[in-house]
Every structure is written in structure tokens, then in C-alpha cells.
């Protein structure tokens, strides 16, 4: 249910374009949705449609391969509540994963997508697995990038070999502290000079490794920092309560792409999740949490192969 006419936007780097849509979710929250197929050329050519459940608070600029007009995949997605033009819900508690599932279904309905492969990154993996459990008839397959099907905070700090209970306690406590301090820190974060140099520094920090497109990555980080930090960590704390999803009832094929040096979603937990499913494959790449930014061509090739398998 659109609430305004589609609006096309073109980023400043390269021949990439997006179309933004305003979509109304079930509880009356207005969402900013987007697609990489503004003129419908991909749909007309019969390209498969993928519903992207993006990383918490992130944006399209984090997916360089999907913004290439020749990518051969039609993507529909949306920005989280209170992020990137999506409004905050009237009830601030309506930011659980179950509400993100409702948002994803509303976006699918808006774009006329009855059933599709879901792709998730980071916390978006929680969303897509929850959607597969709640609405299995809408899901044709699951493509997980650097994320686990629930209890994400317990898998963080994996490369440091921190016990799960300690990792969860540390990361949840840090999120609570940032939710309190975020309002004071947000103006500082928004004023940071984010460009290719900043990305170069960040990509040698261990948190992120060198990316293929530093200019696009800078756009992604700059857009991410427009979200007030207190609201972002309010979202994070809500998602930290999402328990591990039962995988026994999921019948569709799945594919897991993990980053070996990922400190935000443990690759070991992704591997065990894949092993517990009836039809799942697992690939581990020498990357950080930002797999699709560091090795976009490799991730996109795996996605295209998976789509061909699903049919």
C-alpha cells in the first residue's frame, strides 16, 4: 500500500540507480522501501526477485554488486523503523524481529511478490528465518550472509574465542550503555569526515577488511551515521531478545556465507546452523562481517548459483 508516488534517486558514484517507495506496514508505520529495478527492466527480462532483509540500520550502498544494472537480480528491500526515511513506530516497543517480519511481508505485498528467495545480512538473517517459520508459503529459499538464525549476541566476538554467555553479557551491556549515551554522541558521529581515507583506516582496523569500492562504502557508512545512536542501540537491544529459531520445520533450501574474521556473527554458529538443516550449504570466506562489500563478486556468484538451484 504506497502512501506516495515512487521516487527515483541516483547515487553520486557509478551508473547505479534506485527507486524509493513509501510503504505502510500492518501497525501503521510508514516504511521507506527500495528496489534496484527503477524502470522495471530486470522484471521484464525475467530476472529472479530477491527480498533483502538488510543488516540493522544499514542501507543499499552496502551491496555494490546489487547496484550494478547488469547484476541480473531484482532486489526489493526496506529501511528499518526509524532509519533512512522509515518512521519510528508510535509504540517504541514495536521494533522486535516479529515487527520486522511484518514489514518484510508488507514490502513484498507492495511490490507484488507472492513468494521469493529471502536474503539476509547480519540481523536481517534473524528476520528472514523468522519469516520462514511464520509464513513458509511466502519463502522459496534462504540466503544468509554473516548472520545466524537467532541469539545473535551470543555468537559475537567469535574470532576471539569468548564463551557464548560472556559474549552475550558483554555485547548486551555495551548496547545498553550506548542507548543511554547515544543522544550525546550522535552529533559527533554525524560530523565525522567519512570518505575513502576514513574507509581505508576502518578497513585496516580488523573490524572491517579492505573493500572493493571505497567510495560506495563511504556512502554506506555516512548514511548509517545519520541514524541517532540512541535509537540504533534501542533497535539492537530489541533484536538481542530474539531467541534461536527452530530449524526443524524449515523445508526450503538454504545457503550460508560466513566471514572467517567476523566479530559480529560467529562463523562457527553459522556452520552448525547449516548442519542442522535438511538442505543447506555453507561457505566460509576470509572476510570480516562486511562480506558482500569485501568480496562482492564472490558473494553475488554464490547468490546466482543458489537462485539457479532454487529455480
Amino acid at each position: 500500500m504506497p502512501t506516495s508516488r515512487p521516487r527515483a534517486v541516483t547515487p553520486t558514484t557509478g551508473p547505479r540507480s534506485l527507486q524509493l517507495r513509501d510503504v505502510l506496514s500492518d501497525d501503521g508505520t510508514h516504511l521507506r522501501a527500495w528496489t534496484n529495478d527503477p524502470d522495471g527492466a530486470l522484471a521484464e527480462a525475467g530476472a529472479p526477485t530477491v527480498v533483502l532483509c538488510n543488516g540493522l540500520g544499514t542501507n543499499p550502498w552496502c551491496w555494490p554488486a546489487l547496484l550494478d544494472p547488469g547484476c541480473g537480480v531484482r532486489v526489493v528491500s526496506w529501511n528499518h523503523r526509524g532509519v533512512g526515511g522509515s518512521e519510528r513506530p508510535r509504540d517504541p516497543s514495536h521494533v522486535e524481529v516479529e515487527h520486522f517480519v511484518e514489514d518484510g511481508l508488507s514490502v513484498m505485498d507492495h511490490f507484488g511478490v507472492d513468494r521469493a528467495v529471502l536474503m539476509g545480512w547480519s540481523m536481517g538473517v534473524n528476520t528472514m528465518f523468522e519469516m520462514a517459520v511464520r509464513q513458509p508459503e511466502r519463502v522459496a529459499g534462504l540466503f544468509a550472509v554473516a548472520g545466524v538464525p537467532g541469539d545473535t549476541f551470543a555468537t559475537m566476538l567469535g574470532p576471539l574465542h569468548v564463551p557464548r554467555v560472556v559474549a552475550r553479557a558483554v555485547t548486551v551491556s555495551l548496547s545498553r550503555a550506548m542507548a543511554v549515551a547515544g543522544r550525546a554522541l550522535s552529533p559527533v558521529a554525524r560530523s565525522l569526515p567519512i570518505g575513502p581515507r576514513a574507509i581505508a583506516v576502518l578497513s585496516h582496523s580488523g573490524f572491517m577488511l579492505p573493500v572493493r569500492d571505497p567510495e560506495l562504502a563511504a556512502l554506506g557508512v555516512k548514511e548509517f551515521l545519520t541514524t541517532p545512536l540512541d535509537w540504533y542501540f534501542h533497535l539492537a537491544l530489541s533484536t538481542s531478545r530474539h531467541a534461536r529459531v527452530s530449524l526443524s520445520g524449515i523445508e526450503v533450501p538454504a545457503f550460508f556465507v560466513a566471514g572467517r574474521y567476523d566479530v559480529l556473527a560467529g562463523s562457527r554458529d553459522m556452520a552448525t546452523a547449516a548442519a542442522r538443516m535438511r538442505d543447506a550449504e555453507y561457505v566460509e570466506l576470509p572476510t570480516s562481517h562486511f562480506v558482500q562489500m569485501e568480496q562482492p563478486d564472490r558473494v553475488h556468484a554464490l547468490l546466482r548459483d543458489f537462485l539457479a538451484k532454487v529455480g
Side-chain angles (χ1 to χ4, degrees):
M1 291 175 288
T3 57
S4 69
R5 292 182 179 180
R7 298 190 297 112
V9 295
T10 304
T12 58
T13 59
R16 307 174 177 98
S17 60
L18 299 173
Q19 188 181 77
L20 304 179
R21 303 281 189 98
D22 290 331
V23 175
L24 191 64
S25 194
D26 286 355
D27 69 348
T29 303
H30 291 85
L31 306 172
R32 179 62 46 81
W34 58 270
T35 178
N36 69 340
D37 190 25
D39 56 5
L42 288 169
E44 289 180 9
T49 296
V50 169
V51 178
L52 172 61
C53 305
N54 217 348
L56 191 65
T58 61
N59 51 74
W61 317 133
C62 297
W63 292 88
L66 297 179
L67 300 184
D68 184 337
C71 72
V73 178
R74 176 185 179 235
V75 176
V76 299
S77 187
W78 73 99
N79 295 333
H80 286 94
R81 297 171 171 227
V83 174
S86 292
E87 73 172 351
R88 297 186 184 186
R90 295 184 184 92
D91 184 342
S93 69
H94 282 197
V95 287
E96 306 284 344
V97 169
E98 64 188 70
H99 300 106
F100 300 158
V101 169
E102 293 174 2
D103 295 345
L105 293 170
S106 295
V107 169
M108 290 178 71
D109 291 341
H110 173 85
F111 283 99
V113 179
D114 294 326
R115 188 169 184 263
V117 166
L118 308 184
M119 179 164 65
W121 174 39
S122 191
M123 279 295 182
V125 175
N126 297 46
T127 302
M128 75 173 194
F129 271 97
E130 191 68 35
M131 193 183 300
V133 170
R134 291 170 179 257
Q135 299 285 338
E137 71 281 0
R138 306 294 299 269
V139 180
L142 299 164
F143 192 86
V145 179
V148 294
D151 201 17
T152 298
F153 279 58
T155 77
M156 293 181 180
L157 310 179
L160 305 178
H161 303 289
V162 177
R164 290 174 60 91
V165 64
V166 176
R168 195 178 205 292
V170 168
T171 52
V172 169
S173 295
L174 178 61
S175 296
R176 285 176 178 152
M178 288 300 296
V180 174
R183 183 169 295 183
L185 295 175
S186 291
V188 178
R190 285 194 296 267
S191 66
L192 291 174
I194 303 298
R197 285 187 180 181
I199 296 300
V201 172
L202 185 61
S203 65
H204 289 84
S205 65
F207 180 68
M208 175 188 282
L209 299 180
V211 298
R212 178 70 60 84
D213 190 333
E215 291 187 1
L216 199 64
L219 280 176
V221 173
K222 196 168 185 178
E223 176 69 18
F224 174 81
L225 292 176
T226 62
T227 301
L229 293 177
D230 54 324
W231 180 255
Y232 175 80
F233 283 98
H234 172 67
L235 297 177
L237 285 170
S238 294
T239 56
S240 74
R241 295 189 285 269
H242 183 243
R244 183 179 294 182
V245 172
S246 174
L247 304 177
S248 60
I250 296 178
E251 303 288 345
V252 296
F255 200 102
F256 291 78
V257 184
R260 186 173 305 152
Y261 311 112
D262 187 349
V263 296
L264 296 181
S267 58
R268 179 180 61 183
D269 294 89
M270 292 185 67
T272 57
R276 296 199 310 272
M277 297 187 70
R278 291 188 178 90
D279 183 8
E281 297 178 69
Y282 172 82
V283 168
E284 185 173 304
L285 302 178
T287 64
S288 73
H289 190 62
F290 304 91
V291 189
Q292 79 286 2
M293 299 169 71
E294 295 163 11
Q295 293 198 15
D297 294 341
R298 176 72 170 133
V299 173
H300 195 66
L302 291 170
L303 173 63
R304 293 293 299 270
D305 290 344
F306 180 70
L307 292 170
K309 172 186 173 180
V310 173

